Amino acid sequence: WVLLLAFLAGGVATVAWNRALREVSAATMALYVFVQPVIGLAVGLALSERASALAILGATAIVLGVAVATLRGEAAAKEPS
């Protein structure tokens, strides 16, 4: 069951990633790789896991970094060449 779950989750993730790349640029998608640890932390908290202050600080830094990079990219795309 563990192997089935691993292959199924890996397959679904790969298909989802490739479909998302059709809609969004690779540079934008690359930013969201950094959000994965934040999702892991959120799932852990939802399952009553403990999170250290450092983990929460790191998650906050990741979210802010992705937001800033995304907003800068959008602003650069709107500037006339």
Side-chain angles (χ1 to χ4, degrees):
W1 287 112
V2 172
L3 289 176
L4 176 64
L5 180 61
F7 285 117
L8 183 62
V12 170
T14 301
V15 169
W17 182 266
N18 288 329
R19 285 200 177 177
L21 276 174
R22 289 183 195 164
E23 304 295 324
V24 181
S25 72
T28 302
M29 285 291 292
L31 286 173
Y32 290 97
V33 169
F34 298 112
V35 178
Q36 291 174 348
V38 177
I39 300 300
L41 178 65
V43 170
L45 291 172
L47 295 173
S48 301
E49 296 281 332
R50 286 186 164 181
S52 68
L54 193 57
I56 293 171
L57 179 65
T60 303
I62 290 170
V63 169
L64 289 174
V66 168
V68 168
T70 302
L71 292 174
R72 280 190 180 172
E74 289 175 3
K78 290 180 182 178
E79 291 179 6
S81 313

